[in-house]
DNA sequence: TGGATATGTTTACACCGTAAACACTGCCAT
DNA sequence: ATGGCAGTGTTTACGGTGTAAACATATCCA
């Protein structure tokens, strides 16, 4: 459902892939790594061009940028997004390796940085910090999946974008309000 | 990967299923409906036993109950949870049919009710209400998937439970704080 | 009683992932 | 230059899978 069709599209014999990967899952794991690296690069690019300034507003902008780009990437490349979370991806595998790609920052690392800044700027109480990256991640991850796979499949893109902003509003408020 | 093995476990010929379902996907859709109904029943049971009282605290308790049971169900029945969101499930299909099961309330309907109560109790500003069910849903859905499939696979159950509560704290705060 | 309906089986086919054996190319050490 | 070797590709083959078609059986109602 993947391997043979992939070889066909590349115009090569079905078993050619076995010279490069142990089996189908190994190939998918490699694709997962590549997709993760690409996602990280996309997010990094947007975060990088946030102008410096008040740490509070920078932190909020970073949080928004990470979330927005995360679901944007999923909508633009649903196949790659799925592949990225196929398996493997054990927190470690998303941050540690990245031998081929540049940008040492994984998506998770970028999110963590934004949250750390949010705490150090005083906008987010430090009691709320533990595991916060997983909470924020869950929100955008779930939303992305509902959009590309799930019951929100039919939502038009522009509407999805505005709901994404509402989602990030909610997360930000949940972290930073009294 | 499913059909033939299923027939084998039931002890029946591979094609017996074709007398009941058009194809593999139709069978999976039926399983999805059943899983959705079961999930709704589980959530309903917990919500139902929340004692009456101050609408504000009832609404918050309902929100917490729905979220907690949602991820609890996913952790307890990962297979069914996956099946539930296999395909089909078009918002409508989760609420409308339910011809066989009892409890007309779908998971989404229960969540919607909790949010409506949260608004009418004054705890949640009505400007925040639009699409709020999808925001809350995204959060628990994503978290459940990260836990059973994704990078949080390794998190022990008791820890997952406490992070779930933190997640709901975040969502509740995001909805109800100034 | 007899036919329709529901359910199950057998046979057959194309496709998939994968193993094993074989063929070709380029490079390096002798 | 030559031999071997690592890298890459192909061919053939096997078991598993979803599905179509034809056939069988049981159950129920006119």
């Amino acid at each position: 459902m993947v391997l043979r069709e992939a070889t066909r599209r590349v115009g090569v014999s079905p078993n050619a892939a076995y010279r490069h990967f142990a089996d189908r899952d190994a190939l998918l794991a490699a694709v997962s790594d590549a997709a993760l690296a690409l996602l990280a690069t996309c997010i990094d690019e947007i975060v990088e061009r946030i102008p410096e300034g008040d740490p509070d507003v920078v932190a909020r902008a970073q949080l928004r940028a990470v979330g927005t780009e995360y679901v944007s990437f999923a909508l633009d490349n649903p196949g790659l997004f799925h592949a990225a979370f196929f398996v493997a991806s054990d927190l470690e595998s998303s941050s540690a390796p990245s031998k081929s790609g540049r940008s040492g920052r994984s998506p998770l690392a970028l999110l963590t940085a934004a949250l750390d800044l949010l705490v150090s700027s005083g906008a987010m109480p430090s009691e709320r910090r533990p595991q916060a990256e997983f909470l924020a991640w869950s929100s955008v991850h779930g939303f992305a999946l509902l959009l590309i796979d799930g019951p929100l499949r039919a939502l038009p893109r522009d509407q999805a974008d505005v709901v994404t902003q509402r989602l990030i509003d909610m997360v930000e408020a949940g972290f930073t309000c009294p």
Side-chain angles (χ1 to χ4, degrees), chain A:
Chain A
M1 192 230 202
V2 146
L3 211 176
R4 262 179 133 106
E5 176 171 350
T7 62
R8 223 177 298 125
R9 292 203 201 181
V10 175
V12 96
S13 97
N15 285 30
Y18 282 82
R19 293 295 152 187
H20 306 270
F21 305 96
D23 56 10
R24 193 191 94 119
D25 285 11
L27 191 163
L28 285 225
V31 175
S32 166
D33 282 359
L36 241 23
L38 180 59
L39 172 59
T41 299
C42 288
I43 296 178
D44 200 20
E45 240 166 58
I46 305 252
V47 168
E48 213 61 56
R49 78 170 53 116
I50 293 174
E52 301 189 23
D54 179 358
D56 181 348
V57 337
V58 169
R60 290 174 196 260
Q62 284 186 0
L63 190 62
R64 190 161 299 268
V66 172
T68 302
E69 187 57 20
Y70 192 90
V71 0
S72 193
F73 180 90
L75 284 172
D76 291 339
N77 321 68
L80 277 182
F81 185 79
H82 273 124
F85 297 97
F86 156 67
V87 143
S89 51
D90 258 314
L91 271 91
E92 319 317 326
S93 94
S94 52
S95 43
S98 92
K99 64 161 188 181
S100 68
R102 34 152 305 299
S103 146
R105 281 94 83 75
S106 74
L108 182 56
L110 291 162
L111 176 57
T112 297
L115 290 172
D116 284 343
L117 189 56
L118 203 60
V119 167
S120 69
S121 81
M124 174 177 176
S126 59
E127 321 88 73
R128 267 178 230 171
R129 182 58 186 77
Q131 272 90 39
E133 51 268 59
F134 297 128
L135 310 189
W137 189 4
S138 293
S139 299
V140 287
H141 189 70
F143 188 57
L145 286 175
L146 290 184
L147 279 176
I148 61 184
D149 270 352
L152 300 186
R153 228 169 319 149
L155 207 65
R157 174 64 193 255
D158 54 348
Q159 246 178 300
D161 286 338
V162 358
V163 183
T164 303
Q165 295 310 307
R166 285 191 149 279
L167 178 70
I168 299 176
D169 289 344
M170 179 196 76
V171 171
E172 182 185 327
F175 283 157
T176 64
C177 82

